[in-house]
């Protein structure tokens, strides 16, 4: 492992602390009694406090020093005075330990008294301090110059997602997003519990990937010697519980889809699904808009949220537009009563890419997605989807070509999907078989297997039921004004981190020279390196082989350039 100069210095300090008999990683409980927020909200001059956190900044002025301590609630100013900490003749705790052996990022515990500075800053006068954890790597801390400009800000998304632990420390606003995420889950859970519905858990490893159209992750169960699938949805298990006699069940589930990644999709994501007996999709629309109004207020204190250039208002009620009316409005084409061939031709005429694997439902979905979806900024229910698009949904009571389904659109994206659930086992079997035919034609989003156990459950009888799924990650994006799903996941999926190349010390020395010059005449570079012919040849080959430098022949001679 190649250590930086700062990391080496910190390890030297670690050794010195141990030599002084100070354990840099003590196991003892530290009796924290207050947080920075408690101190600021309930400030009393002269009050004794015990706090702990990271040392984030300090200004040492001889025998005194102002510093900042950061805990889970924010930052508080602390004042170190040598004679307050070291009341006897031995001043080493301040002079040696505090001034020389502590670093920014170290966790310390502080016992002290509260006072206000001349400018009114609430501050802790340190009476004693304890090192709780020595940080061996310096934090990627931004610095502000005299003109107020920020330098070295930790803003690179890839670094931030890989090192979320550092991101949370140095970018406090990031923590606020995750606090709001938890508020959202709590608010939704409270809303369901108050309505009398029951939170449950269903399997993550499933023998059949069902309940949605998606490509699954596959694993193997050694004891049973069978393949299993990471769940793509929990729908079919929750419906089994309705068959079993529960009137309302819900689950916050981790789902896994082995598909593409972009700003609104992650292979592992969190969905909420709820199923309520004796209800239909009209009731669920009312329930959904009341739920989201409640959640928006719980998270932000208002029904309104900013997302990019848009202000969204989650206050109920929301407009309701049928899919046919939406497509007709934005394209002029009426899908009602049209054949698959007519819809295919219309899609082509609209400039939409189609292929022979697409059935009627997929074609309609493509038209809606390309021409309509992006126009819905404020929360809007799109209702009454064609039957081909909804294999688990009940046939519309007034039009057998449609289903009783809605999706909730916000800022051109779907955040909720709901049905009057199909509970006719014969119809359900036929829908599954139709999906199989589509899969054979090459539709990779069609369900390629039939869940016969689920059909058996339906044959025992399932009451009229309405179900809804909400993408929790996407919803919190809208409520916190984040354009990327990676911003609302603590640890999003990433490509493997590239390991730094291990090169020889001689090659590093050449690279250091090139870092300053970018490009040098080969003879001059060789001379500056001070290497023997043998070492030079070996090192320059090492650099060119690892694509760290290249040798170019020009009219002026041979030059070495850093890549």
């Amino acid at each position: 492992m190649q250590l930086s100069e700062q990391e080496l210095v910190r390890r030297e300090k670690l050794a010195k602390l141990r030599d002084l008999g100070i354990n840099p990683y003590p196991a003892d409980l530290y009796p924290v009694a207050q947080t920075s927020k408690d101190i600021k909200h309930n400030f009393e001059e002269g009050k004794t406090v015990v706090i702990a956190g990271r040392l984030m900044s300090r200004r040492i002025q001889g025998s005194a020093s102002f510093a900042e301590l950061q805990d889970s609630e924010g930052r508080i100013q602390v004042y170190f005075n040598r004679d307050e900490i070291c009341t006897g003749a031995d001043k080493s705790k301040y002079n040696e330990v505090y001034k020389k052996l502590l670093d920014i990022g170290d966790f310390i515990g502080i016992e002290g008294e509260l006072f206000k500075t001349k400018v009114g800053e609430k501050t802790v006068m340190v009476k004693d301090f304890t090192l709780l954890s020595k940080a061996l790597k310096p934090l990627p801390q931004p610095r502000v110059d005299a003109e107020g400009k920020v330098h070295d800000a930790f803003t690179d998304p890839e670094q931030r997602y890989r090192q979320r632990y550092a991101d949370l420390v140095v970018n406090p606003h990031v923590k606020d997003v995750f606090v709001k995420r938890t508020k959202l889950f709590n608010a939704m859970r409270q809303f369901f519990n108050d309505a009398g519905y029951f939170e449950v858990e269903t399997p993550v490893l499933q023998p059949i990937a069902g309940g949605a159209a998606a490509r699954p992750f596959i694993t193997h169960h050694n004891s049973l010697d069978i393949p299993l699938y990471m769940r793509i949805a929990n729908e079919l298990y929750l419906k089994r519980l309705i068959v079993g006699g529960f009137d309302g069940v819900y689950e916050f589930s981790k789902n896994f889809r082995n598909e593409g990644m972009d700003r609104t999709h992650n292979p592992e994501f969190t969905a909420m699904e709820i199923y309520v007996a004796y209800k239909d999709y009209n009731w669920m629309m009312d329930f959904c808009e009341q739920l989201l109004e409640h959640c928006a207020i719980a998270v932000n204190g208002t029904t309104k949220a900013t997302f990019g250039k848009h202000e969204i208002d989650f206050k109920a009620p929301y407009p309701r537009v049928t899919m046919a009316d939406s497509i007709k409005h934005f394209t002029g084409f009426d899908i009602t009563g049209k054949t698959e061939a007519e819809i295919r031709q219309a899609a082509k005429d609209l400039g939409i890419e189609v292929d022979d694997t697409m059935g009627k439902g997929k074609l309609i979905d493509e038209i809606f997605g390309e021409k309509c979806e992006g126009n819905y900024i404020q929360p809007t229910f799109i209702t009454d989807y064609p039957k081909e698009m909804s294999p688990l949904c009940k046939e519309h009571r007034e039009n057998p070509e449609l289903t009783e389904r809605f999706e909730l659109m916000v800022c051109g994206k779907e955040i909720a999907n709901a049905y009057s659930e199909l509970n006719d086992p014969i119809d359900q079997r036929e829908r599954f078989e139709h999906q199989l035919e589509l899969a054979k034609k090459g539709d990779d989003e069609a369900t390629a297997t039939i869940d016969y156990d689920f059909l058996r459950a339906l044959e025992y009888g399932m009451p009229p039921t309405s179900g809804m799924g909400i993408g929790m990650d996407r919803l919190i994006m809208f409520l916190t004004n984040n354009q990327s799903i990676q911003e609302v996941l603590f640890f999003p999926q990433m490509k493997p981190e590239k390991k730094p190349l291990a090169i020889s010390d001689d090659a590093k020395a050449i690279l250091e020279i090139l870092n300053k010059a970018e490009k040098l005449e080969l003879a001059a570079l060789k001379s500056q390196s001070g290497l023997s012919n043998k070492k030079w040849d070996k090192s320059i080959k090492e650099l060119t082989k690892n694509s760290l430098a290249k040798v170019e022949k020009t009219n002026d001679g041979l030059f070495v350039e850093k890549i």
Side-chain angles (χ1 to χ4, degrees):
M1 179 175 64
Q2 188 68 31
L3 297 177
S4 68
E5 185 179 345
Q6 283 196 56
E7 288 172 311
L8 290 170
V9 169
R10 288 184 181 225
R11 278 166 169 73
E12 289 171 5
K13 291 180 181 181
L14 183 75
K16 288 177 182 176
L17 285 164
R18 286 190 165 125
D19 289 344
L20 290 171
I22 297 171
N23 182 355
Y25 305 104
D28 323 39
L29 172 149
Y30 191 79
V32 177
Q34 288 86 17
T35 67
S36 58
K37 186 177 180 181
D38 294 335
I39 290 170
K40 290 173 183 176
H41 284 201
N42 305 297
F43 184 83
E44 291 178 36
E45 190 93 28
K47 181 180 177 180
T48 300
V49 296
V50 181
I51 60 173
R54 282 187 190 272
L55 191 63
M56 293 301 289
S57 70
R58 57 180 178 170
R59 304 180 301 282
I60 298 175
Q61 297 168 327
S63 63
S65 170
F66 280 102
E68 273 189 308
L69 196 75
Q70 179 170 299
D71 63 12
S72 63
E73 298 289 350
R75 292 191 183 189
I76 187 80
Q77 181 168 270
V78 293
Y79 177 65
F80 289 81
N81 182 288
R82 183 181 61 198
D83 296 328
E84 292 286 340
I85 294 166
C86 309
T87 54
D90 183 1
K91 307 295 183 183
S92 61
K93 186 159 190 178
Y94 179 86
N95 290 340
E96 293 298 318
V97 179
Y98 174 71
K99 286 177 71 175
K100 296 179 181 178
L101 301 181
L102 292 193
D103 288 294
I104 301 303
D106 289 353
F107 277 93
I108 58 172
I110 287 174
E111 298 171 44
E113 289 181 1
L114 301 184
F115 76 102
K116 283 186 180 178
T117 63
K118 291 178 182 179
V119 295
E121 180 81 13
K122 295 172 182 176
T123 306
V124 180
M125 166 79 76
V126 180
K127 297 294 184 179
D128 195 14
F129 70 90
T130 304
L131 176 62
L132 301 177
S133 182
K134 181 71 183 164
L136 298 184
K137 187 177 282 291
L139 288 166
Q141 265 200 305
R143 55 186 177 82
V144 182
D145 64 20
E147 297 175 359
K149 292 181 180 177
V150 178
H151 300 272
D152 303 324
F154 193 54
T155 56
D156 179 72
E158 184 169 339
Q159 281 189 310
R160 287 180 48 241
Y161 303 153
R162 284 194 194 284
Q163 300 181 46
R164 183 67 86 186
Y165 36 85
D167 186 32
L168 290 164
V169 174
V170 302
N171 294 320
H173 65 278
V174 173
K175 185 177 179 182
D176 293 341
V177 171
F178 293 99
V179 169
K180 287 185 174 183
R181 183 183 173 106
T182 295
K183 285 182 178 180
L184 172 62
F185 280 74
N186 289 344
M188 198 172 278
R189 184 174 276 115
Q190 177 197 9
F191 193 87
F192 296 151
N193 291 346
D194 289 349
Y197 305 136
F198 195 67
E199 185 170 8
V200 298
E201 293 178 301
T202 62
V204 173
L205 294 174
Q206 302 180 353
I208 293 174
R215 186 181 294 113
F217 288 92
I218 304 172
T219 186
H220 186 81
H221 192 297
N222 288 339
S223 295
L224 297 176
D225 194 23
I226 57 170
L228 289 175
Y229 302 90
M230 301 288 282
R231 72 174 162 207
I232 56 174
N234 54 353
E235 176 171 345
L236 301 186
Y237 283 94
L238 293 176
K239 287 182 186 176
R240 285 171 168 91
L241 298 179
I242 297 295
V243 171
F246 286 94
D247 280 351
V249 292
Y250 70 93
E251 181 179 17
F252 293 99
S253 69
K254 281 288 186 185
N255 295 344
F256 307 86
R257 298 184 181 180
N258 196 2
E259 298 176 338
M261 294 172 64
D262 58 33
R263 294 175 71 83
T264 58
H265 294 88
N266 195 64
E268 176 184 344
F269 64 97
T270 305
M272 184 289 305
E273 292 202 27
I274 183 169
Y275 293 83
V276 186
Y278 312 113
K279 309 299 184 187
D280 67 3
Y281 80 137
N282 293 311
W283 176 90
M284 189 62 84
M285 274 186 266
D286 296 338
F287 185 76
C288 176
E289 61 194 9
Q290 291 160 17
L291 168 69
L292 293 185
E293 179 180 305
H294 167 81
C295 288
I297 293 170
V299 171
N300 289 324
T302 173
T303 60
K304 294 180 179 178
T306 300
F307 186 71
K309 61 182 181 181
H310 303 296
E311 183 180 72
I312 313 161
D313 194 346
F314 285 97
K315 185 169 180 58
Y318 307 155
R320 304 178 184 192
V321 182
T322 69
M323 177 166 274
D325 285 347
S326 177
I327 291 174
K328 188 174 181 180
H329 176 75
F330 289 109
T331 71
F333 178 68
D334 189 351
I335 62 172
T336 307
K338 297 296 192 294
T339 65
E340 183 179 312
E342 288 172 320
I343 295 170
R344 188 184 305 278
Q345 187 57 50
K348 290 178 181 176
D349 294 342
L350 290 165
I352 296 168
E353 212 172 291
V354 298
D355 60 56
D356 294 339
T357 69
M358 293 180 178
K360 188 175 178 180
K362 186 73 181 288
L363 291 166
I364 293 170
D365 191 29
E366 288 293 313
I367 293 171
F368 178 77
E370 288 280 333
K371 301 297 180 181
C372 310
E373 194 172 72
N375 296 298
Y376 295 105
I377 304 303
Q378 295 304 320
T380 304
F381 292 118
I382 304 299
T383 70
D384 302 349
Y385 282 53
K387 187 184 286 187
E388 292 83 356
M389 293 177 67
S390 313
L392 296 166
C393 187
K394 186 171 280 189
E395 185 179 284
H396 198 283
R397 66 196 75 176
E398 294 172 5
N399 185 340
E401 290 193 354
L402 304 177
T403 56
E404 295 198 349
R405 174 185 179 185
F406 73 77
E407 288 187 318
L408 179 65
M409 298 292 166
V410 178
C411 286
K413 296 291 181 184
E414 170 238 323
I415 60 169
N417 185 23
Y419 305 158
S420 294
E421 299 296 336
L422 180 58
N423 60 345
D424 177 343
I426 295 172
D427 188 359
Q428 181 65 83
R429 184 181 293 269
E430 290 171 355
R431 303 272 196 98
F432 278 157
E433 288 169 351
H434 179 64
Q435 286 286 302
L436 276 181
E437 291 304 313
L438 290 176
K440 287 175 184 174
K441 283 174 64 178
D443 185 345
D444 61 2
E445 290 191 1
T447 305
T449 54
I450 294 178
D451 190 336
Y452 290 105
D453 180 70
F454 175 66
L455 289 174
R456 178 169 58 191
L458 288 187
E459 287 170 354
Y460 280 107
M462 185 175 86
T465 298
S466 184
M468 176 174 66
I470 292 178
M472 299 300 291
D473 307 316
R474 197 173 287 181
L475 178 55
I476 199 61
M477 287 171 61
F478 291 128
L479 290 173
T480 58
N481 194 18
N482 277 297
Q483 308 291 316
S484 170
I485 196 171
Q486 284 81 15
E487 292 290 349
V488 300
L489 303 174
F490 270 129
F491 304 105
Q493 258 80 35
M494 305 284 291
K495 286 182 179 178
E497 191 170 3
K498 288 183 179 178
K499 293 182 180 178
L501 288 170
I503 57 174
S504 66
D505 289 341
D506 291 338
K508 284 177 191 172
I510 295 173
L511 208 54
E512 279 297 313
I513 299 168
L514 282 176
N515 280 337
K516 297 170 186 174
E518 293 291 326
K519 187 175 182 178
L520 269 177
E521 189 179 4
L522 186 142
L525 180 60
K526 181 180 178 183
S527 174
Q528 286 186 43
S529 73
L531 297 174
S532 67
N533 289 338
K534 187 176 180 181
K535 285 186 175 181
W536 164 260
D537 289 342
K538 183 180 177 182
S539 300
I540 201 70
K541 283 178 183 175
E542 191 177 351
L543 291 175
T544 55
K545 181 182 176 182
N546 288 305
S547 300
L548 296 172
K550 63 180 179 179
V551 179
E552 272 189 320
K553 188 175 183 180
T554 71
N555 293 333
D556 297 321
L558 286 173
F559 284 81
V560 182
E561 184 177 359
K562 183 186 171 189
I563 297 176

